[in-house]
Amino acid sequence: MNGGSAASGKESSSSEDQGAAPAGTDVPQQRTERQELTGEQVAVVKAVAASLPAALVEMLPYRTVPKRNRSQFLAAMAGRTAAQIIDRAARRWVQHGYAEALHSIDGKGIGSAVGVAVALVQAGECTHPRCEDGFNIDTGEECRVCETRRADRRAAKKAAAEAGRNTGTVRQAPHRPGWWECTICHAPGKGDIPESGECRRCQDETAAAAQQLAAQWEQEAAERQKTVEAEEAVLLAIEEAAARRQAEDQRAAEEHTARRQAADEETARLRAELAAQYPELAAVSGSTSTAPF
């Protein structure tokens, strides 16, 4: 399918037979700017170009990447094997909407075929060398750098909104009529643009982050409550211990007073008995109320 938009992207280049890129072939490092590519580098560029989606290859000038774009094409392939670049292109061809745009019923097609070819192979915006469209190419796990970048953008967008500033407009995806780019991760989306300007994944991440934050706040509140309850329990224990000591001191004082009173009463009784038994001694002392002993 050769649309008018694709025709404008064709540029002169020698027509050479293309072969599929060897699966384990490493992409040669690009030479310094303005130098001609080596034969090995040209061969890899042509082989990868020939392994792009067939419908796109048919739209390329002479079914390959024009000479003037080869350095750009090669630079976009740095850090990956040819097989990995081919897998990237095949995945993006579908996931980024190029296949649907090309074969859409309304016939809008795609923009520059060369521009699409470069977009299919170029590295993503993530700075992590092993990031492959948001996933670690070695482990298959989500890229932590991408997660952090999305979180930072989301925080910046929220801060801008709270400050009454413009949070950015949704951009139309290049080469794909009817497609737009997420304001957070720049992933392509199709159809009606969400009010938030975010793709489904970023919306889910936002909701999950909000839920996680709410759970964190709830947990922190519960921990603070536990701390308050623990402090109150310590204070209550201290007060109870003080009350027990006061009660024990009071009881000891009462017992001491009772013992002393009992002793005084016993002493008075003994004196009275002695005075009764020995009145002469009481007379000697001049008083019967107090015994001289």
Side-chain angles (χ1 to χ4, degrees):
M1 173 178 176
N2 292 329
S5 58
S8 63
K10 292 190 176 182
E11 304 176 31
S12 61
S13 174
S14 60
S15 58
E16 301 182 24
D17 293 338
Q18 309 301 321
T25 303
D26 288 326
V27 178
Q29 294 296 319
Q30 187 178 0
R31 303 178 72 184
T32 58
E33 190 175 358
R34 294 185 180 178
Q35 284 186 335
E36 290 292 330
L37 301 186
T38 66
E40 180 187 8
Q41 290 172 329
V42 172
V44 170
V45 170
K46 290 182 176 181
V48 171
S51 300
L52 295 175
L56 179 62
V57 173
E58 291 296 328
M59 299 173 64
L60 292 173
Y62 298 99
R63 305 186 64 208
T64 190
V65 178
K67 185 176 181 180
R68 71 174 64 179
N69 299 104
R70 288 176 184 171
S71 295
Q72 180 186 10
F73 200 84
L74 185 68
M77 296 157 53
R80 296 289 189 272
T81 65
Q84 289 172 335
I85 294 297
I86 293 170
D87 289 342
R88 174 191 291 174
R91 180 182 65 253
R92 290 180 178 177
W93 177 252
V94 176
Q95 292 183 357
H96 290 197
Y98 296 109
E100 182 174 337
L102 179 63
H103 300 292
S104 61
I105 297 177
D106 56 20
K108 292 182 179 179
I110 60 176
S112 167
V114 175
V116 171
V118 173
L120 290 179
V121 302
Q122 68 184 357
E125 64 177 354
C126 182
T127 57
H128 196 288
R130 306 311 293 167
C131 177
E132 184 65 26
D133 289 345
F135 294 89
N136 187 299
I137 195 171
D138 301 316
T139 65
E141 298 178 350
E142 285 204 39
C143 175
R144 297 290 181 262
V145 176
C146 286
E147 289 182 353
T148 300
R149 186 178 67 253
R150 291 196 299 271
D152 291 343
R153 286 177 176 172
R154 192 174 293 112
K157 182 178 179 181
K158 180 181 179 181
E162 291 175 348
R165 299 194 302 269
N166 188 353
T167 58
T169 57
V170 179
R171 298 183 300 180
Q172 295 299 317
H175 313 301
R176 289 151 290 175
W179 288 69
W180 48 272
E181 290 186 350
C182 174
T183 56
I184 298 298
C185 68
H186 299 167
K190 182 178 181 295
D192 296 334
I193 301 175
E195 183 178 351
S196 64
E198 300 178 13
C199 65
R200 173 54 60 184
R201 180 178 69 173
C202 288
Q203 291 182 46
D204 291 343
E205 285 186 351
T206 300
Q211 184 176 3
Q212 182 178 3
L213 183 60
Q216 179 182 343
W217 287 346
E218 184 178 354
Q219 181 179 358
E220 290 175 354
E223 290 176 353
R224 286 195 299 270
Q225 181 62 28
K226 287 182 180 179
T227 301
V228 170
E229 292 176 353
E231 292 175 350
E232 290 178 348
V234 170
L235 291 175
L236 180 61
I238 293 174
E239 291 175 355
E240 291 178 346
R244 284 195 300 271
R245 285 196 298 271
Q246 184 177 3
E248 290 173 357
D249 292 344
Q250 179 67 23
R251 183 170 56 254
E254 291 175 352
E255 290 176 352
H256 175 73
T257 300
R259 287 195 299 271
R260 184 167 183 174
Q261 183 178 356
D264 291 344
E265 292 176 353
E266 180 65 14
T267 300
R269 184 185 67 77
L270 292 175
R271 285 179 176 175
E273 289 181 356
L274 291 174
Q277 293 177 7
Y278 306 99
E280 65 279 8
L281 293 177
V284 172
S285 63
S287 172
T288 58
S289 59
T290 303
F293 34 72

